[in-house]
């Protein structure tokens, strides 16, 4: 399913996007050495309730997961990269944490993710991975203009990741959003320009480059959800939801 939103509806989408951005910013400020992932989940749940928003995760039960997710945010630490299920773990200095959050307000979903280092010590290769996924995201967004195609976004994202020397996994990528979290079109993190669905004003897209330091292969954690790098290497992920408008892409989750 692909949904196209009117300019009035896009104003509602902006409220969802702002909410997601505000929560992620707040959590990033509160996540310190010693913070438990379950506290982050609880804070998220409280902010969702206060805003009258609706979680996309708590009841989420897709074919690739193991039963309803049961939590409000994905917390992926170090070698975990996608769908990190919160568990009883206190963050340590130098942990690389990815928070990925999707929720809807007034029926429109916004979805964003951010990776950052907890505490003070940091490995230059972590910073480089995070920075590369941000640049890939910027490039993907810049390519998301009316009349361009999904392949143009994929190509822009993939070119930045590949030029930095990372392998690209094509099992999970970006996606359309709207009344539900995962919609068509799928946005691979690599691809050929000029191919795929043609972008038009009113389309909402979540673009999400992610990489693992030395592999493109994932393994599933025994929790049935968390996806980790097959080599145990660390990982990074950056995501925004954007709206395609007549004037070009507008970032909603900012
Ligand atoms: Mg997401």
């Amino acid at each position: 399913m692909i949904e196209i939103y009117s300019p009035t509806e896009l104003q509602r989408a902006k409220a969802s996007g702002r909410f997601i951005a505000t929560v992620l910013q707040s959590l990033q400020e509160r996540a310190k050495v010693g913070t438990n992932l379950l506290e982050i989940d609880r804070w998220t749940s409280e902010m969702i309730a206060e805003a009258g928003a609706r979680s996309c995760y708590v009841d989420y039960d897709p074919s690739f997961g193991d039963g309803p997710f049961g939590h409000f945010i994905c917390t992926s630490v170090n070698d975990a990269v996608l769908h990190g299920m919160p568990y009883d773990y206190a963050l340590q200095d130098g942990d690389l944490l990815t928070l990925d959050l999707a929720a809807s307000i007034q029926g429109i979903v916004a979805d964003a993710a951010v990776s950052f280092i907890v505490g003070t010590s940091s490995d230059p290769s972590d910073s480089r991975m995070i920075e590369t996924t941000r640049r890939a995201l910027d490039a993907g967004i810049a390519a998301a203009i009316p009349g361009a195609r999904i392949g143009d976004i994929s190509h822009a994202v993939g070119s930045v990741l590949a030029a930095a020397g990372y392998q690209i996994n094509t099992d999970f990528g970006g996606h359309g959003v709207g009344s539900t979290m995962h919609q068509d079109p799928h946005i691979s993190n690599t691809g050929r320009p000029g191919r795929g669905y043609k972008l038009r004003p009113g389309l909402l897209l979540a673009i999400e480059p992610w990489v693992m330091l030395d592999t493109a292969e994932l393994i599933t954690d025994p929790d049935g959800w968390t996806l980790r790098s097959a080599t145990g290497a660390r990982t990074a992920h950056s995501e925004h939801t954007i709206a395609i408008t007549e004037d070009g892409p507008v970032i909603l989750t900012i």
Side-chain angles (χ1 to χ4, degrees), residues 1-238:
M1 180 174 65
I2 292 177
E3 295 171 347
I4 299 295
Y5 286 95
S6 69
T8 312
E9 289 168 322
L10 285 183
Q11 292 308 313
R12 283 164 47 208
K14 283 183 180 173
S16 301
R18 251 192 318 273
F19 170 70
I20 295 295
T22 303
V23 173
L24 288 178
Q25 181 67 39
S26 166
L27 293 173
Q28 186 168 347
E29 287 165 8
R30 292 163 84 177
K32 311 272 191 224
V33 174
T35 300
N36 195 295
L37 299 180
L38 295 175
E39 285 180 282
I40 294 176
D41 189 45
R42 180 167 51 79
W43 294 335
T44 307
S45 152
E46 289 166 359
M47 285 187 270
I48 286 174
E50 277 165 26
R54 185 184 167 96
S55 169
C56 295
Y57 290 168
V58 71
D59 298 323
Y60 191 50
D61 191 8
S63 58
F64 56 80
D66 183 16
F69 189 66
H71 295 273
F72 294 85
I73 190 164
C74 294
T75 56
S76 301
V77 181
N78 298 338
D79 62 318
V81 63
L82 298 173
H83 314 153
M85 180 180 264
Y87 67 104
D88 181 13
Y89 173 80
L91 290 167
Q92 299 179 17
D93 195 34
D95 274 348
L96 198 168
L97 175 62
T98 299
L99 301 176
D100 190 343
L101 178 65
S104 64
I105 290 182
Q106 295 183 316
I108 303 183
V109 171
D111 186 359
V114 61
S115 290
F116 57 95
I117 307 293
V118 176
T120 51
S121 67
S122 84
D123 183 330
S125 67
D126 287 349
S127 313
R128 183 173 180 272
M129 262 193 308
I130 294 170
E131 189 261 339
T132 301
T133 61
R134 287 183 187 155
R135 277 194 298 113
L137 177 56
D138 289 345
I141 292 169
I145 56 175
R149 292 181 182 270
I150 290 296
D152 296 315
I153 300 175
S154 298
H155 178 71
V157 167
S159 297
V160 172
L161 300 180
Y166 299 108
Q167 300 173 58
I168 300 169
N169 175 294
T170 53
D171 293 338
F172 295 93
H175 48 93
V177 301
S179 57
T180 58
M181 172 167 58
H182 286 142
Q183 301 193 350
D184 292 330
H186 172 71
I187 310 172
S188 174
N189 282 333
T190 184
R192 293 168 66 181
R195 300 293 181 94
Y197 182 81
K198 195 182 222 178
L199 307 182
R200 45 192 277 213
L203 182 65
L204 306 184
L205 298 175
I207 303 176
E208 48 179 322
W210 58 277
V211 292
M212 304 179 278
L213 186 63
D214 62 4
T215 185
E217 193 184 337
L218 292 166
I219 53 171
T220 305
D221 189 90
D223 70 15
W225 280 95
T226 305
L227 296 175
R228 300 180 183 277
S229 64
T231 57
R234 290 153 80 101
T235 67
H237 181 194
S238 295

